[in-house]
Amino acid sequence: MADLTLKMQSGSLTIIEKKEGALRFHAVRTDKFKMSRLSLNFILPADAERSPLTRLMLAVMMRGCRKYPTVIEINKKLDELYGATVTWRAVTVGERHIFKISCEMLSNKYTLPGDRDSVVRRVCDVVLDILLDPLLDEEGLLSSSNLESERKLLIDAIRAKINDQK
C-alpha cells in the first residue's frame, strides 16, 4: 500500500492517504474540533437498472443488522456512544453513483476518563456490523418486511419528485 503522510506547519494537522488498487483511504487529523467525522464513499458506475436496486439494498441494510435488528437498537447504541450519528445518502454525479455513509462522534479526548475504547473505533464497529452482518430472513435474504417498507418509501419519493417538477 502506498503511503503519503504530510504534516502541515500551520498547526497540528496531519493528512494521510493510502491507496490499494481501487480502494483509497484519506484521513485528516487535527485537534481543533470536539467532534470526529468518518465518511465512507462507495463509487459505482451509474446504471439505470442496478443503481436503484443498490440504493434500495443500502436503505434496507441501514435499518438493522444481526447485532442491532432495528433502527431503534442502532440508535440506542449510538446514543451510548455520546450521541454519535450514522446517516447515509445516495447521489449521482455524472456517470457515477455515490453511496455515502457518514458518522459523527465525540472526539476521544473529550470522553469520560473510564472509557478506554476509542469512540471512533466503536462507531466503526457498528457501521461494520450494519454492512457486513445484515439482518437476514430464514432464506438468507435481506429482511422482506424492511425491503417492502423501503420500497414503498422509494416509490413515494419518486412520485413526489415527479409531482414537484416546475
Side-chain angles (χ1 to χ4, degrees):
M1 194 172 271
D3 289 344
L4 168 69
T5 302
L6 171 66
K7 295 194 185 221
M8 305 293 285
Q9 296 296 324
S10 63
S12 59
L13 178 69
T14 304
I15 301 172
I16 302 168
E17 180 180 275
K18 296 183 179 184
K19 294 180 184 177
E20 177 76 37
L23 298 176
R24 294 183 189 157
F25 173 80
H26 301 274
V28 179
R29 289 191 171 174
T30 183
D31 58 359
K32 288 187 173 187
F33 304 105
K34 291 181 182 175
M35 299 297 285
S36 293
R37 181 177 179 90
L38 171 70
S39 179
L40 301 169
N41 296 308
F42 302 92
I43 303 171
L44 302 169
D47 180 312
E49 288 182 32
R50 281 188 269 166
S51 292
L53 295 174
T54 306
R55 182 187 190 286
L56 183 61
M57 180 186 72
L58 182 59
V60 172
M61 290 173 69
M62 295 301 290
R63 281 183 162 240
C65 60
R66 195 159 43 116
K67 192 170 186 180
Y68 310 106
T70 66
V71 173
I72 292 171
E73 294 200 33
I74 291 171
N75 287 331
K76 276 185 192 177
K77 181 61 180 175
L78 294 173
D79 284 346
E80 291 172 12
L81 299 173
Y82 299 93
T85 60
V86 175
T87 57
W88 75 275
R89 64 185 275 211
V91 295
T92 301
V93 179
E95 298 288 319
R96 295 196 169 115
H97 208 69
I98 304 170
F99 300 95
K100 300 179 176 203
I101 298 174
S102 298
C103 312
E104 289 192 14
M105 73 267 347
L106 189 65
S107 292
N108 292 325
K109 83 181 213 181
Y110 297 101
T111 61
L112 295 172
D115 272 342
R116 294 183 183 168
D117 289 337
S118 160
V119 174
V120 174
R121 181 176 305 278
R122 291 187 285 167
V123 171
C124 286
D125 288 343
V126 172
V127 172
L128 287 174
D129 281 331
I130 291 168
L131 293 176
L132 301 178
D133 196 13
L135 190 60
L136 303 176
D137 64 14
E138 307 80 38
E139 298 173 17
L141 303 172
L142 290 175
S143 166
S144 57
S145 62
N146 286 348
L147 179 64
E148 186 58 28
S149 296
E150 284 300 329
R151 188 182 73 77
K152 286 179 183 177
L153 288 173
L154 187 56
I155 289 170
D156 289 345
I158 292 168
R159 285 185 180 146
K161 203 172 210 177
I162 290 169
N163 291 334
D164 194 33
Q165 289 185 356
K166 295 176 183 174

